[in-house]
Amino acid sequence: MDINVLYVFDMIGTAAFALSAVIPAIRKDMDLFGIFTIAFVTAIGGGTLRDLLISAPIVWLHNMTYVYIIIGTVILAVIFRNRLIYMSESISFFDTIGLSAFTLIGIEKAMDAGYSVLICIAIGTMTACFGGVIRDTFLNKIPVIFIKEIYATASIAGGIVFFALLNVLPNTYVYVITGLVVFVIRSLSKKYHITLPTVQLKK
């Protein structure tokens, strides 16, 4: 992937995940510090885990743009909170954008580090999902990745599509299609309440 395109995806994912955390944090009556903290760990959590796993420099420590993006997103979201707070689908929408963008970022960075296909898909999934796990845990909720909803599954499906098309189509098409696959699977599962089966003990 062209470095500029990769960077744009990273910025989009960072802003989207930060915004996905601001709205529920406001609903929990958190102060500004609490809101910023939730937004920050949500936006950089997955990327930090990825960089630690692949022994890469932790990206936000070396590029303050990520911090500025999060600060700007939080400020704008707080200013326009009265509009955002009543958009019931906004959290899911921004979360899904972040999921799509960070899936691509994680896969690409793992590929650059020379890992196998399965590891790249796993790294992409962790990059996309770990920030949401932190957000939900801090908000005293069961992380969405662990309860029925199609979340990590959408990221995994995107990873499979990515490698299935990688040597078939031009890279730009592969990235766009992969992002759309993740976005569409997650969005449709939310809209039509499609869930994974749960495992229960027999009575």
Side-chain angles (χ1 to χ4, degrees):
M1 182 186 288
D2 180 84
I3 188 65
N4 291 325
V5 177
L6 184 66
Y7 190 68
V8 169
F9 273 116
D10 218 356
M11 293 299 101
I12 291 172
T14 299
F17 266 139
L19 192 53
S20 78
V22 170
I23 301 170
I26 291 174
R27 285 177 171 155
K28 287 283 186 176
D29 295 323
M30 291 186 174
D31 60 20
L32 283 174
F33 179 77
I35 293 170
F36 174 77
T37 300
I38 294 292
F40 186 78
V41 297
T42 302
I44 58 88
T48 300
L49 175 64
R50 174 200 65 225
D51 293 340
L52 289 172
L53 288 174
I54 66 176
S55 300
I58 298 175
V59 65
W60 62 271
L61 292 178
H62 301 277
N63 187 344
M64 285 297 292
T65 303
Y66 293 88
V67 178
Y68 299 146
I69 288 287
I70 296 168
I71 292 173
T73 300
V74 170
I75 291 172
L76 289 174
V78 169
I79 290 173
F80 296 104
R81 62 189 180 278
N82 289 331
R83 294 185 180 181
L84 289 174
I85 208 74
Y86 294 110
M87 297 167 58
S88 61
E89 298 299 321
S90 58
I91 301 173
S92 178
F93 176 75
F94 295 121
D95 188 63
T96 303
I97 291 176
L99 188 73
S100 302
F102 278 179
T103 296
L104 284 166
I105 298 296
I107 290 173
E108 186 68 26
K109 291 203 172 184
M111 283 177 59
D112 290 344
Y115 289 99
S116 66
V117 170
L118 288 179
I119 297 302
C120 287
I121 293 174
I123 294 295
T125 302
M126 285 187 285
T127 303
C129 298
F130 194 69
V133 171
I134 298 175
R135 176 195 62 214
D136 293 343
T137 301
F138 275 28
L139 293 171
N140 199 29
K141 296 167 55 180
I142 298 176
V144 68
I145 190 177
F146 300 136
I147 50 170
K148 295 193 297 182
E149 289 194 24
I150 306 295
Y151 195 81
T153 309
S155 183
I156 293 170
I160 293 171
V161 169
F162 181 93
F163 285 103
L165 299 178
L166 188 59
N167 297 316
V168 178
L169 297 175
N171 286 352
T172 301
Y173 291 110
V174 175
Y175 305 139
V176 171
I177 292 172
T178 299
L180 286 174
V181 165
V182 177
F183 187 88
V184 169
I185 290 176
R186 172 64 178 155
S187 297
L188 290 179
S189 69
K190 286 287 292 183
K191 181 176 181 179
Y192 296 105
H193 306 290
I194 301 170
T195 63
L196 294 174
T198 57
V199 178
Q200 297 179 338
L201 293 173
K202 293 182 179 180
K203 296 181 179 181

